[in-house]
Amino acid sequence: MDLYEYQGKQLFERHGIPVSEGRLATSSEEARAAAEELGGPVVVKAQVLTGGRGKAGGIKLAATPDDAAARAGDILGLDIRGHVVRRLWIERASDIAREYYLSITFDRGEKKPLFMFTTEGGVDIEEVAATKPDALVRLHVDPLEGFQPWQARRLVYGGGVTDAGEQKQIAAIVERLYAAFVETDAMLCEINPLIVTPDGEVRALDSKFTVDDNALYRHPDVAEMRDPESYPPEERAAREKGVTYVKLDGEVGILGNGAGLVMSTLDVIALAGGRPANFCDLGGGGDAEGVVDALEVITADPQVKSILFNIFGGITRCDEVARGILAALDRMTITHPIVVRLDGTNAEEGRRLLQEAAPPNLYVEPTMLDAARKAVELAR
Ligand code: GDP
Ligand code: MN
């Protein structure tokens, strides 16, 4: 789960990482009131779950409350890389002498958390990594040993920070960021830029914070930060219904039972010259309830043009799944063409049930490849 900048900053604050004071606003009027309360110049910042807001016009300085209200009006409703701005963070403006970068994430290859630090902050870190790889200091933390203070010093000295006051503040932030990362079960904590003010004060000016979805049950306060409006309708439906759902980019909606079968179905769709729009994993289930839930999620995605059921009956019997599909189609109206491939336990019985009772938009195909070809053809 990705957090908004202001939510990440709340967590930073809880862990003692310095941030600027700010207020949330959802209208020009609230932005004006926030600026009045904060006093002095403010920054009006679009809260969207994507980066590069500055370049997209989602971050503006405002000298007065009137100015803040006007900038809020400009930014609210703006579309930043497919994310519509509905919330603003109004923050006391900072004077910036230098912009650094600090993050901690998982290095799956090493199976360890990885710190990255550079004094070349503010811009895309990918660009720094590509053009000035030596400027980027990387350091793994052994999760069994935990964080060691020398690691913060190595990052700071390795990055070439020479000012003693800065060194000390950054080292403290590194240690606190590690605590925030571990204690929140985070996948990523990124500060870009980590600024140094002309007075030599170090602060997190931005935050990117991602928490492991599978650990959210341990962090009800973080789970509560979820903004349902930030997810497309089908992802919201999947979450509510507890359906395993992944959004992709093509036009064929896929339902399968079991992760391995679903993965190979994606490949076969590609082989047939198509692209999957999304997929649902029915797991072991194939009852009408599960099929209705999955179909509702899949058809809520406007990109879906055809649907492919790929079921291998093991413990779940194909005739049960066929009954589930028919019951589901009785309960809901689906206009998309649906292709079904059943194999495994009681496959013949399942196919017979479908062929006898199926509506005209349902096609039964004997093999996975035939089914994929049919689904791709129908999607065109
Ligand atoms: P991003 O574009 O989504 O990464 O948003 P950031 O919060 O990182 O802001 C982008 C840039 O806007 C920063 O790198 C700063 O240069 C600038 N910026 C943001 N807040 C302030 C501020 O308080 N004062 C000044 N002078 N610049 C700011
Ligand atoms: Mn940033």
Side-chain angles (χ1 to χ4, degrees), residues 146-182:
F147 177 82
Q148 309 290 322
W150 63 264
Q151 294 174 314
R153 293 195 292 274
R154 176 161 298 177
L155 283 170
V156 172
Y157 300 151
V161 177
T162 48
D163 180 90
E166 276 180 39
Q167 289 174 342
K168 206 171 151 209
Q169 292 175 75
I170 299 171
I173 291 171
V174 168
E175 178 158 13
R176 288 164 188 172
L177 197 65
Y178 186 79
F181 180 78
V182 172

PDB file of all heavy atoms in Angstrom, residues 146-182:
ATOM      1  N   GLY A 146      20.659  -6.198  12.602  1.00  0.00           N
ATOM      2  CA  GLY A 146      19.968  -4.926  12.756  1.00  0.00           C
ATOM      3  C   GLY A 146      20.877  -3.780  12.380  1.00  0.00           C
ATOM      4  O   GLY A 146      22.023  -3.982  11.965  1.00  0.00           O
ATOM      5  N   PHE A 147      20.353  -2.586  12.545  1.00  0.00           N
ATOM      6  CA  PHE A 147      21.088  -1.390  12.156  1.00  0.00           C
ATOM      7  C   PHE A 147      22.257  -1.126  13.110  1.00  0.00           C
ATOM      8  O   PHE A 147      22.123  -1.270  14.322  1.00  0.00           O
ATOM      9  CB  PHE A 147      20.130  -0.198  12.179  1.00  0.00           C
ATOM     10  CG  PHE A 147      20.798   1.091  11.865  1.00  0.00           C
ATOM     11  CD1 PHE A 147      21.038   1.466  10.562  1.00  0.00           C
ATOM     12  CD2 PHE A 147      21.206   1.930  12.892  1.00  0.00           C
ATOM     13  CE1 PHE A 147      21.674   2.657  10.270  1.00  0.00           C
ATOM     14  CE2 PHE A 147      21.837   3.126  12.615  1.00  0.00           C
ATOM     15  CZ  PHE A 147      22.072   3.485  11.298  1.00  0.00           C
ATOM     16  N   GLN A 148      23.402  -0.763  12.543  1.00  0.00           N
ATOM     17  CA  GLN A 148      24.575  -0.407  13.347  1.00  0.00           C
ATOM     18  C   GLN A 148      24.952   1.054  13.060  1.00  0.00           C
ATOM     19  O   GLN A 148      24.977   1.447  11.893  1.00  0.00           O
ATOM     20  CB  GLN A 148      25.776  -1.292  12.961  1.00  0.00           C
ATOM     21  CG  GLN A 148      25.487  -2.787  12.965  1.00  0.00           C
ATOM     22  CD  GLN A 148      25.281  -3.327  14.372  1.00  0.00           C
ATOM     23  OE1 GLN A 148      25.958  -2.918  15.303  1.00  0.00           O
ATOM     24  NE2 GLN A 148      24.312  -4.228  14.503  1.00  0.00           N
ATOM     25  N   PRO A 149      25.266   1.820  14.095  1.00  0.00           N
ATOM     26  CA  PRO A 149      25.550   3.247  13.875  1.00  0.00           C
ATOM     27  C   PRO A 149      26.639   3.528  12.833  1.00  0.00           C
ATOM     28  O   PRO A 149      26.555   4.526  12.116  1.00  0.00           O
ATOM     29  CB  PRO A 149      25.986   3.736  15.263  1.00  0.00           C
ATOM     30  CG  PRO A 149      25.306   2.809  16.218  1.00  0.00           C
ATOM     31  CD  PRO A 149      25.235   1.478  15.523  1.00  0.00           C
ATOM     32  N   TRP A 150      27.628   2.650  12.702  1.00  0.00           N
ATOM     33  CA  TRP A 150      28.685   2.910  11.714  1.00  0.00           C
ATOM     34  C   TRP A 150      28.129   2.954  10.297  1.00  0.00           C
ATOM     35  O   TRP A 150      28.687   3.594   9.411  1.00  0.00           O
ATOM     36  CB  TRP A 150      29.816   1.882  11.806  1.00  0.00           C
ATOM     37  CG  TRP A 150      29.400   0.458  11.500  1.00  0.00           C
ATOM     38  CD1 TRP A 150      29.064  -0.503  12.395  1.00  0.00           C
ATOM     39  CD2 TRP A 150      29.274  -0.168  10.201  1.00  0.00           C
ATOM     40  NE1 TRP A 150      28.719  -1.670  11.758  1.00  0.00           N
ATOM     41  CE2 TRP A 150      28.843  -1.495  10.408  1.00  0.00           C
ATOM     42  CE3 TRP A 150      29.481   0.269   8.880  1.00  0.00           C
ATOM     43  CZ2 TRP A 150      28.608  -2.389   9.365  1.00  0.00           C
ATOM     44  CZ3 TRP A 150      29.250  -0.629   7.853  1.00  0.00           C
ATOM     45  CH2 TRP A 150      28.820  -1.939   8.088  1.00  0.00           C
ATOM     46  N   GLN A 151      26.983   2.276  10.102  1.00  0.00           N
ATOM     47  CA  GLN A 151      26.416   2.243   8.752  1.00  0.00           C
ATOM     48  C   GLN A 151      25.937   3.635   8.333  1.00  0.00           C
ATOM     49  O   GLN A 151      26.093   4.025   7.176  1.00  0.00           O
ATOM     50  CB  GLN A 151      25.270   1.230   8.707  1.00  0.00           C
ATOM     51  CG  GLN A 151      25.814  -0.184   8.913  1.00  0.00           C
ATOM     52  CD  GLN A 151      24.740  -1.239   9.029  1.00  0.00           C
ATOM     53  OE1 GLN A 151      23.760  -1.054   9.747  1.00  0.00           O
ATOM     54  NE2 GLN A 151      24.924  -2.342   8.326  1.00  0.00           N
ATOM     55  N   ALA A 152      25.363   4.367   9.281  1.00  0.00           N
ATOM     56  CA  ALA A 152      24.936   5.737   8.974  1.00  0.00           C
ATOM     57  C   ALA A 152      26.152   6.588   8.625  1.00  0.00           C
ATOM     58  O   ALA A 152      26.132   7.371   7.673  1.00  0.00           O
ATOM     59  CB  ALA A 152      24.196   6.329  10.165  1.00  0.00           C
ATOM     60  N   ARG A 153      27.237   6.398   9.385  1.00  0.00           N
ATOM     61  CA  ARG A 153      28.444   7.203   9.111  1.00  0.00           C
ATOM     62  C   ARG A 153      29.009   6.868   7.736  1.00  0.00           C
ATOM     63  O   ARG A 153      29.432   7.746   6.994  1.00  0.00           O
ATOM     64  CB  ARG A 153      29.485   6.983  10.214  1.00  0.00           C
ATOM     65  CG  ARG A 153      29.035   7.546  11.568  1.00  0.00           C
ATOM     66  CD  ARG A 153      30.185   7.660  12.542  1.00  0.00           C
ATOM     67  NE  ARG A 153      30.709   6.366  12.958  1.00  0.00           N
ATOM     68  CZ  ARG A 153      30.226   5.630  13.968  1.00  0.00           C
ATOM     69  NH1 ARG A 153      29.190   6.073  14.673  1.00  0.00           N
ATOM     70  NH2 ARG A 153      30.772   4.473  14.278  1.00  0.00           N
ATOM     71  N   ARG A 154      28.987   5.573   7.398  1.00  0.00           N
ATOM     72  CA  ARG A 154      29.523   5.200   6.086  1.00  0.00           C
ATOM     73  C   ARG A 154      28.726   5.844   4.961  1.00  0.00           C
ATOM     74  O   ARG A 154      29.292   6.311   3.979  1.00  0.00           O
ATOM     75  CB  ARG A 154      29.533   3.680   5.923  1.00  0.00           C
ATOM     76  CG  ARG A 154      29.997   3.260   4.546  1.00  0.00           C
ATOM     77  CD  ARG A 154      30.451   1.845   4.458  1.00  0.00           C
ATOM     78  NE  ARG A 154      31.600   1.566   5.309  1.00  0.00           N
ATOM     79  CZ  ARG A 154      32.135   0.349   5.441  1.00  0.00           C
ATOM     80  NH1 ARG A 154      31.618  -0.669   4.780  1.00  0.00           N
ATOM     81  NH2 ARG A 154      33.170   0.152   6.218  1.00  0.00           N
ATOM     82  N   LEU A 155      27.384   5.868   5.105  1.00  0.00           N
ATOM     83  CA  LEU A 155      26.542   6.498   4.070  1.00  0.00           C
ATOM     84  C   LEU A 155      26.885   7.980   3.927  1.00  0.00           C
ATOM     85  O   LEU A 155      27.067   8.488   2.829  1.00  0.00           O
ATOM     86  CB  LEU A 155      25.057   6.370   4.445  1.00  0.00           C
ATOM     87  CG  LEU A 155      24.392   5.013   4.212  1.00  0.00           C
ATOM     88  CD1 LEU A 155      23.006   5.000   4.859  1.00  0.00           C
ATOM     89  CD2 LEU A 155      24.257   4.727   2.720  1.00  0.00           C
ATOM     90  N   VAL A 156      26.973   8.646   5.075  1.00  0.00           N
ATOM     91  CA  VAL A 156      27.156  10.093   5.068  1.00  0.00           C
ATOM     92  C   VAL A 156      28.547  10.481   4.554  1.00  0.00           C
ATOM     93  O   VAL A 156      28.684  11.337   3.685  1.00  0.00           O
ATOM     94  CB  VAL A 156      26.906  10.639   6.491  1.00  0.00           C
ATOM     95  CG1 VAL A 156      27.274  12.099   6.584  1.00  0.00           C
ATOM     96  CG2 VAL A 156      25.443  10.434   6.893  1.00  0.00           C
ATOM     97  N   TYR A 157      29.578   9.794   5.055  1.00  0.00           N
ATOM     98  CA  TYR A 157      30.944  10.103   4.592  1.00  0.00           C
ATOM     99  C   TYR A 157      31.103   9.666   3.132  1.00  0.00           C
ATOM    100  O   TYR A 157      31.687  10.374   2.318  1.00  0.00           O
ATOM    101  CB  TYR A 157      32.013   9.395   5.440  1.00  0.00           C
ATOM    102  CG  TYR A 157      31.993   9.773   6.901  1.00  0.00           C
ATOM    103  CD1 TYR A 157      32.413   8.871   7.884  1.00  0.00           C
ATOM    104  CD2 TYR A 157      31.586  11.042   7.316  1.00  0.00           C
ATOM    105  CE1 TYR A 157      32.393   9.200   9.236  1.00  0.00           C
ATOM    106  CE2 TYR A 157      31.563  11.375   8.665  1.00  0.00           C
ATOM    107  CZ  TYR A 157      31.966  10.451   9.618  1.00  0.00           C
ATOM    108  OH  TYR A 157      31.931  10.777  10.934  1.00  0.00           O
ATOM    109  N   GLY A 158      30.563   8.480   2.823  1.00  0.00           N
ATOM    110  CA  GLY A 158      30.662   7.959   1.450  1.00  0.00           C
ATOM    111  C   GLY A 158      29.996   8.893   0.451  1.00  0.00           C
ATOM    112  O   GLY A 158      30.442   9.015  -0.690  1.00  0.00           O
ATOM    113  N   GLY A 159      28.931   9.553   0.892  1.00  0.00           N
ATOM    114  CA  GLY A 159      28.228  10.482   0.008  1.00  0.00           C
ATOM    115  C   GLY A 159      28.944  11.821  -0.117  1.00  0.00           C
ATOM    116  O   GLY A 159      28.560  12.647  -0.933  1.00  0.00           O
ATOM    117  N   GLY A 160      29.961  12.016   0.721  1.00  0.00           N
ATOM    118  CA  GLY A 160      30.752  13.240   0.618  1.00  0.00           C
ATOM    119  C   GLY A 160      30.180  14.421   1.377  1.00  0.00           C
ATOM    120  O   GLY A 160      30.450  15.573   1.028  1.00  0.00           O
ATOM    121  N   VAL A 161      29.404  14.167   2.421  1.00  0.00           N
ATOM    122  CA  VAL A 161      28.919  15.268   3.253  1.00  0.00           C
ATOM    123  C   VAL A 161      30.057  15.659   4.196  1.00  0.00           C
ATOM    124  O   VAL A 161      30.558  14.815   4.951  1.00  0.00           O
ATOM    125  CB  VAL A 161      27.686  14.840   4.091  1.00  0.00           C
ATOM    126  CG1 VAL A 161      27.227  15.974   5.002  1.00  0.00           C
ATOM    127  CG2 VAL A 161      26.559  14.401   3.168  1.00  0.00           C
ATOM    128  N   THR A 162      30.471  16.918   4.155  1.00  0.00           N
ATOM    129  CA  THR A 162      31.649  17.312   4.920  1.00  0.00           C
ATOM    130  C   THR A 162      31.317  18.109   6.174  1.00  0.00           C
ATOM    131  O   THR A 162      32.100  18.145   7.119  1.00  0.00           O
ATOM    132  CB  THR A 162      32.605  18.154   4.043  1.00  0.00           C
ATOM    133  OG1 THR A 162      31.831  19.155   3.390  1.00  0.00           O
ATOM    134  CG2 THR A 162      33.287  17.281   3.002  1.00  0.00           C
ATOM    135  N   ASP A 163      30.149  18.751   6.178  1.00  0.00           N
ATOM    136  CA  ASP A 163      29.792  19.586   7.317  1.00  0.00           C
ATOM    137  C   ASP A 163      29.413  18.726   8.527  1.00  0.00           C
ATOM    138  O   ASP A 163      28.548  17.843   8.421  1.00  0.00           O
ATOM    139  CB  ASP A 163      28.620  20.491   6.917  1.00  0.00           C
ATOM    140  CG  ASP A 163      28.183  21.389   8.061  1.00  0.00           C
ATOM    141  OD1 ASP A 163      28.736  22.499   8.148  1.00  0.00           O
ATOM    142  OD2 ASP A 163      27.319  20.969   8.860  1.00  0.00           O
ATOM    143  N   ALA A 164      30.043  18.979   9.658  1.00  0.00           N
ATOM    144  CA  ALA A 164      29.835  18.112  10.832  1.00  0.00           C
ATOM    145  C   ALA A 164      28.393  18.147  11.330  1.00  0.00           C
ATOM    146  O   ALA A 164      27.843  17.116  11.730  1.00  0.00           O
ATOM    147  CB  ALA A 164      30.798  18.532  11.954  1.00  0.00           C
ATOM    148  N   GLY A 165      27.785  19.321  11.297  1.00  0.00           N
ATOM    149  CA  GLY A 165      26.393  19.451  11.744  1.00  0.00           C
ATOM    150  C   GLY A 165      25.466  18.628  10.863  1.00  0.00           C
ATOM    151  O   GLY A 165      24.566  17.923  11.343  1.00  0.00           O
ATOM    152  N   GLU A 166      25.689  18.712   9.545  1.00  0.00           N
ATOM    153  CA  GLU A 166      24.878  17.927   8.600  1.00  0.00           C
ATOM    154  C   GLU A 166      25.099  16.435   8.806  1.00  0.00           C
ATOM    155  O   GLU A 166      24.154  15.651   8.817  1.00  0.00           O
ATOM    156  CB  GLU A 166      25.296  18.262   7.153  1.00  0.00           C
ATOM    157  CG  GLU A 166      24.634  19.470   6.588  1.00  0.00           C
ATOM    158  CD  GLU A 166      25.090  19.724   5.158  1.00  0.00           C
ATOM    159  OE1 GLU A 166      25.261  18.751   4.392  1.00  0.00           O
ATOM    160  OE2 GLU A 166      25.304  20.899   4.814  1.00  0.00           O
ATOM    161  N   GLN A 167      26.360  16.068   8.966  1.00  0.00           N
ATOM    162  CA  GLN A 167      26.691  14.647   9.158  1.00  0.00           C
ATOM    163  C   GLN A 167      25.900  14.071  10.324  1.00  0.00           C
ATOM    164  O   GLN A 167      25.307  12.995  10.223  1.00  0.00           O
ATOM    165  CB  GLN A 167      28.193  14.494   9.435  1.00  0.00           C
ATOM    166  CG  GLN A 167      29.070  14.754   8.234  1.00  0.00           C
ATOM    167  CD  GLN A 167      30.563  14.740   8.580  1.00  0.00           C
ATOM    168  OE1 GLN A 167      30.935  14.857   9.757  1.00  0.00           O
ATOM    169  NE2 GLN A 167      31.404  14.622   7.570  1.00  0.00           N
ATOM    170  N   LYS A 168      25.871  14.813  11.412  1.00  0.00           N
ATOM    171  CA  LYS A 168      25.219  14.335  12.620  1.00  0.00           C
ATOM    172  C   LYS A 168      23.710  14.206  12.419  1.00  0.00           C
ATOM    173  O   LYS A 168      23.098  13.195  12.780  1.00  0.00           O
ATOM    174  CB  LYS A 168      25.515  15.337  13.751  1.00  0.00           C
ATOM    175  CG  LYS A 168      25.472  14.718  15.111  1.00  0.00           C
ATOM    176  CD  LYS A 168      25.983  15.688  16.166  1.00  0.00           C
ATOM    177  CE  LYS A 168      25.292  15.346  17.468  1.00  0.00           C
ATOM    178  NZ  LYS A 168      25.126  16.489  18.356  1.00  0.00           N
ATOM    179  N   GLN A 169      23.130  15.236  11.810  1.00  0.00           N
ATOM    180  CA  GLN A 169      21.670  15.197  11.600  1.00  0.00           C
ATOM    181  C   GLN A 169      21.276  14.084  10.630  1.00  0.00           C
ATOM    182  O   GLN A 169      20.292  13.375  10.838  1.00  0.00           O
ATOM    183  CB  GLN A 169      21.185  16.539  11.038  1.00  0.00           C
ATOM    184  CG  GLN A 169      21.285  17.682  12.019  1.00  0.00           C
ATOM    185  CD  GLN A 169      20.909  18.988  11.329  1.00  0.00           C
ATOM    186  OE1 GLN A 169      19.740  19.249  11.067  1.00  0.00           O
ATOM    187  NE2 GLN A 169      21.893  19.813  11.016  1.00  0.00           N
ATOM    188  N   ILE A 170      22.052  13.934   9.557  1.00  0.00           N
ATOM    189  CA  ILE A 170      21.693  12.909   8.572  1.00  0.00           C
ATOM    190  C   ILE A 170      21.862  11.519   9.180  1.00  0.00           C
ATOM    191  O   ILE A 170      21.027  10.633   8.986  1.00  0.00           O
ATOM    192  CB  ILE A 170      22.514  13.062   7.271  1.00  0.00           C
ATOM    193  CG1 ILE A 170      22.229  14.426   6.635  1.00  0.00           C
ATOM    194  CG2 ILE A 170      22.178  11.948   6.284  1.00  0.00           C
ATOM    195  CD1 ILE A 170      23.145  14.779   5.480  1.00  0.00           C
ATOM    196  N   ALA A 171      22.936  11.342   9.947  1.00  0.00           N
ATOM    197  CA  ALA A 171      23.152  10.033  10.580  1.00  0.00           C
ATOM    198  C   ALA A 171      21.968   9.679  11.483  1.00  0.00           C
ATOM    199  O   ALA A 171      21.498   8.539  11.503  1.00  0.00           O
ATOM    200  CB  ALA A 171      24.455  10.040  11.374  1.00  0.00           C
ATOM    201  N   ALA A 172      21.464  10.683  12.210  1.00  0.00           N
ATOM    202  CA  ALA A 172      20.305  10.427  13.086  1.00  0.00           C
ATOM    203  C   ALA A 172      19.078  10.069  12.256  1.00  0.00           C
ATOM    204  O   ALA A 172      18.307   9.167  12.603  1.00  0.00           O
ATOM    205  CB  ALA A 172      20.034  11.659  13.956  1.00  0.00           C
ATOM    206  N   ILE A 173      18.906  10.754  11.118  1.00  0.00           N
ATOM    207  CA  ILE A 173      17.746  10.475  10.255  1.00  0.00           C
ATOM    208  C   ILE A 173      17.844   9.070   9.661  1.00  0.00           C
ATOM    209  O   ILE A 173      16.856   8.347   9.573  1.00  0.00           O
ATOM    210  CB  ILE A 173      17.627  11.560   9.153  1.00  0.00           C
ATOM    211  CG1 ILE A 173      17.211  12.898   9.797  1.00  0.00           C
ATOM    212  CG2 ILE A 173      16.624  11.136   8.079  1.00  0.00           C
ATOM    213  CD1 ILE A 173      17.257  14.094   8.861  1.00  0.00           C
ATOM    214  N   VAL A 174      19.061   8.666   9.290  1.00  0.00           N
ATOM    215  CA  VAL A 174      19.267   7.318   8.737  1.00  0.00           C
ATOM    216  C   VAL A 174      18.807   6.277   9.758  1.00  0.00           C
ATOM    217  O   VAL A 174      18.048   5.352   9.434  1.00  0.00           O
ATOM    218  CB  VAL A 174      20.757   7.098   8.370  1.00  0.00           C
ATOM    219  CG1 VAL A 174      21.029   5.630   8.081  1.00  0.00           C
ATOM    220  CG2 VAL A 174      21.151   7.957   7.169  1.00  0.00           C
ATOM    221  N   GLU A 175      19.233   6.438  10.992  1.00  0.00           N
ATOM    222  CA  GLU A 175      18.875   5.470  12.035  1.00  0.00           C
ATOM    223  C   GLU A 175      17.360   5.443  12.261  1.00  0.00           C
ATOM    224  O   GLU A 175      16.750   4.379  12.387  1.00  0.00           O
ATOM    225  CB  GLU A 175      19.604   5.828  13.337  1.00  0.00           C
ATOM    226  CG  GLU A 175      19.227   4.894  14.471  1.00  0.00           C
ATOM    227  CD  GLU A 175      20.264   4.849  15.591  1.00  0.00           C
ATOM    228  OE1 GLU A 175      21.170   5.718  15.621  1.00  0.00           O
ATOM    229  OE2 GLU A 175      20.179   3.923  16.421  1.00  0.00           O
ATOM    230  N   ARG A 176      16.739   6.612  12.270  1.00  0.00           N
ATOM    231  CA  ARG A 176      15.284   6.682  12.497  1.00  0.00           C
ATOM    232  C   ARG A 176      14.504   6.140  11.305  1.00  0.00           C
ATOM    233  O   ARG A 176      13.431   5.560  11.463  1.00  0.00           O
ATOM    234  CB  ARG A 176      14.877   8.133  12.789  1.00  0.00           C
ATOM    235  CG  ARG A 176      15.354   8.542  14.162  1.00  0.00           C
ATOM    236  CD  ARG A 176      15.332  10.025  14.362  1.00  0.00           C
ATOM    237  NE  ARG A 176      15.987  10.336  15.639  1.00  0.00           N
ATOM    238  CZ  ARG A 176      16.269  11.563  16.031  1.00  0.00           C
ATOM    239  NH1 ARG A 176      15.978  12.592  15.265  1.00  0.00           N
ATOM    240  NH2 ARG A 176      16.859  11.750  17.191  1.00  0.00           N
ATOM    241  N   LEU A 177      15.059   6.352  10.120  1.00  0.00           N
ATOM    242  CA  LEU A 177      14.391   5.834   8.924  1.00  0.00           C
ATOM    243  C   LEU A 177      14.399   4.302   8.943  1.00  0.00           C
ATOM    244  O   LEU A 177      13.433   3.661   8.542  1.00  0.00           O
ATOM    245  CB  LEU A 177      15.072   6.364   7.655  1.00  0.00           C
ATOM    246  CG  LEU A 177      14.262   6.234   6.361  1.00  0.00           C
ATOM    247  CD1 LEU A 177      12.996   7.088   6.407  1.00  0.00           C
ATOM    248  CD2 LEU A 177      15.089   6.620   5.137  1.00  0.00           C
ATOM    249  N   TYR A 178      15.504   3.742   9.428  1.00  0.00           N
ATOM    250  CA  TYR A 178      15.566   2.277   9.535  1.00  0.00           C
ATOM    251  C   TYR A 178      14.496   1.774  10.512  1.00  0.00           C
ATOM    252  O   TYR A 178      13.784   0.807  10.238  1.00  0.00           O
ATOM    253  CB  TYR A 178      16.956   1.816   9.996  1.00  0.00           C
ATOM    254  CG  TYR A 178      17.078   0.301   9.963  1.00  0.00           C
ATOM    255  CD1 TYR A 178      17.308  -0.367   8.765  1.00  0.00           C
ATOM    256  CD2 TYR A 178      16.919  -0.461  11.118  1.00  0.00           C
ATOM    257  CE1 TYR A 178      17.382  -1.751   8.706  1.00  0.00           C
ATOM    258  CE2 TYR A 178      16.990  -1.847  11.082  1.00  0.00           C
ATOM    259  CZ  TYR A 178      17.230  -2.486   9.877  1.00  0.00           C
ATOM    260  OH  TYR A 178      17.298  -3.852   9.822  1.00  0.00           O
ATOM    261  N   ALA A 179      14.365   2.476  11.636  1.00  0.00           N
ATOM    262  CA  ALA A 179      13.347   2.089  12.624  1.00  0.00           C
ATOM    263  C   ALA A 179      11.944   2.211  12.022  1.00  0.00           C
ATOM    264  O   ALA A 179      11.108   1.317  12.166  1.00  0.00           O
ATOM    265  CB  ALA A 179      13.468   2.965  13.872  1.00  0.00           C
ATOM    266  N   ALA A 180      11.698   3.304  11.284  1.00  0.00           N
ATOM    267  CA  ALA A 180      10.382   3.502  10.660  1.00  0.00           C
ATOM    268  C   ALA A 180      10.112   2.366   9.672  1.00  0.00           C
ATOM    269  O   ALA A 180       9.014   1.808   9.631  1.00  0.00           O
ATOM    270  CB  ALA A 180      10.332   4.851   9.943  1.00  0.00           C
ATOM    271  N   PHE A 181      11.132   2.016   8.901  1.00  0.00           N
ATOM    272  CA  PHE A 181      11.014   0.980   7.868  1.00  0.00           C
ATOM    273  C   PHE A 181      10.661  -0.363   8.498  1.00  0.00           C
ATOM    274  O   PHE A 181       9.721  -1.041   8.074  1.00  0.00           O
ATOM    275  CB  PHE A 181      12.362   0.908   7.133  1.00  0.00           C
ATOM    276  CG  PHE A 181      12.438  -0.101   6.023  1.00  0.00           C
ATOM    277  CD1 PHE A 181      11.870   0.169   4.782  1.00  0.00           C
ATOM    278  CD2 PHE A 181      13.110  -1.300   6.203  1.00  0.00           C
ATOM    279  CE1 PHE A 181      11.968  -0.756   3.751  1.00  0.00           C
ATOM    280  CE2 PHE A 181      13.210  -2.228   5.181  1.00  0.00           C
ATOM    281  CZ  PHE A 181      12.636  -1.953   3.944  1.00  0.00           C
ATOM    282  N   VAL A 182      11.381  -0.734   9.527  1.00  0.00           N
ATOM    283  CA  VAL A 182      11.174  -2.048  10.150  1.00  0.00           C
ATOM    284  C   VAL A 182       9.871  -2.080  10.944  1.00  0.00           C
ATOM    285  O   VAL A 182       9.073  -3.005  10.812  1.00  0.00           O
ATOM    286  CB  VAL A 182      12.374  -2.407  11.048  1.00  0.00           C
ATOM    287  CG1 VAL A 182      12.087  -3.671  11.839  1.00  0.00           C
ATOM    288  CG2 VAL A 182      13.634  -2.571  10.204  1.00  0.00           C
TER     289      VAL A 182
END
